[in-house]
Amino acid sequence: MGSNYEKQVFGARDIFLRYDQQTLLERYDLEYDEKYLYIELLKKKYRIDRKTGEVQAECGRTLEDGNGAEWYETCLDFLVVMTIYAVLCYPQGKPALAGEWCQLASLQMTGSSPSQEPFLRASAGKFSGRVSELKAALEWLGGKEQAVPASADACFLLPLFSFFPVLFQFWDGDEEFAPSITILWDKNSLKFMHFETLYYVTNHLMERLEDLMGSK
């Protein structure tokens, strides 16, 4: 399976290189230089080699005091790489947020898709009884706490990318109800990425939160 994932990653590089990079830069006002395009996903910086299409992740800086040059390594994380390629290459024109939240299921026009519930439920179980830690992790990722709807224990406006937020809600469990997570999406989300990519980025968000909280 890992080999198949890598094949898809390398294939996506070739697709990325077919696009006009100036258009990609203007679409989201990306930082760039002669060699790389730069983009952040969940407060982690990535760069894309403009000649090879390779995605690289920032791993730190070359000096211990943190003032040295940024240090990057090749990223083969399927969820990260495919999300970045999909967001950069998918939209037509420059998409804009609608400012209206909706459930994932309401975004799909036709057909059926697997539910997010199983992996959201698994993560919710790891966050149960740890609301303060979850809030700290969401804040670390750039989230802004929102007015609490329907007695949610945590509600944060969270930037996946600087130009694309989601609304993350968490209800802790008790004797009667299991803990649960709801993620609300902007009504125009499918102008930014494919429906399938929403699953990639949701899975990656759960991984990031679990890593920050030491939940794995």
Side-chain angles (χ1 to χ4, degrees):
M1 181 65 72
S3 176
N4 289 334
Y5 280 174
E6 287 192 14
K7 287 179 181 178
Q8 291 184 65
V9 167
F10 286 113
R13 288 183 187 178
D14 294 334
I15 294 173
F16 168 81
L17 292 173
R18 299 174 195 168
Y19 282 78
D20 176 68
Q21 293 185 14
Q22 188 60 38
T23 299
L24 304 184
L25 291 171
E26 294 173 356
R27 180 174 290 149
Y28 295 123
D29 300 320
L30 298 179
E31 178 187 350
Y32 68 97
D33 56 34
E34 184 179 349
K35 293 184 177 180
Y36 302 101
L37 311 183
Y38 298 87
I39 191 168
E40 282 195 5
L41 172 59
L42 286 171
K43 207 177 177 180
K44 188 175 180 69
K45 195 170 185 179
Y46 298 88
R47 69 185 186 186
I48 303 96
D49 189 299
R50 301 184 68 171
K51 289 186 177 180
T52 68
E54 178 184 81
V55 175
Q56 301 172 1
E58 184 182 11
C59 300
R61 293 183 176 269
T62 53
L63 298 180
E64 291 183 1
D65 61 9
N67 294 322
E70 294 167 331
W71 167 40
Y72 288 84
E73 290 185 348
T74 300
C75 179
L76 292 177
D77 184 316
F78 179 81
L79 297 176
V80 170
V81 172
M82 298 306 287
T83 295
I84 289 174
Y85 285 142
V87 167
L88 290 180
C89 300
Y90 172 66
Q92 302 296 316
K94 188 170 184 176
L97 297 168
E100 180 180 340
W101 299 112
C102 60
Q103 297 276 356
L104 180 68
S106 68
L107 293 174
Q108 191 178 27
M109 304 301 294
T110 60
S112 60
S113 60
S115 172
Q116 286 187 315
E117 283 304 311
F119 57 82
L120 289 180
R121 191 182 308 118
S123 292
K126 296 176 182 179
F127 303 155
S128 183
R130 306 172 66 190
V131 173
S132 60
E133 294 174 67
L134 175 61
K135 287 184 175 182
L138 290 163
E139 288 176 355
W140 193 93
L141 291 174
K144 302 296 183 184
E145 192 162 13
Q146 306 294 296
V148 179
S151 302
D153 293 286
C155 180
F156 279 75
L157 182 66
L158 183 66
L160 301 180
F161 296 94
S162 61
F163 48 82
F164 187 83
V166 295
L167 193 64
F168 179 97
Q169 300 171 344
F170 174 74
W171 286 263
D172 206 354
D174 56 28
E175 294 80 6
E176 295 184 51
F177 300 99
S180 65
I181 293 170
T182 295
I183 296 178
L184 297 180
W185 303 86
D186 187 88
K187 187 177 180 180
N188 284 350
S189 291
L190 297 187
K191 294 184 178 181
F192 289 81
M193 63 187 82
H194 293 283
F195 186 81
E196 293 80 3
T197 308
L198 302 179
Y199 284 82
Y200 297 159
V201 75
T202 300
N203 284 345
H204 181 55
L205 170 57
M206 294 303 106
E207 289 181 349
R208 289 281 276 147
L209 288 172
E210 290 174 16
D211 284 344
L212 288 169
M213 296 173 64
S215 301
K216 286 192 173 182

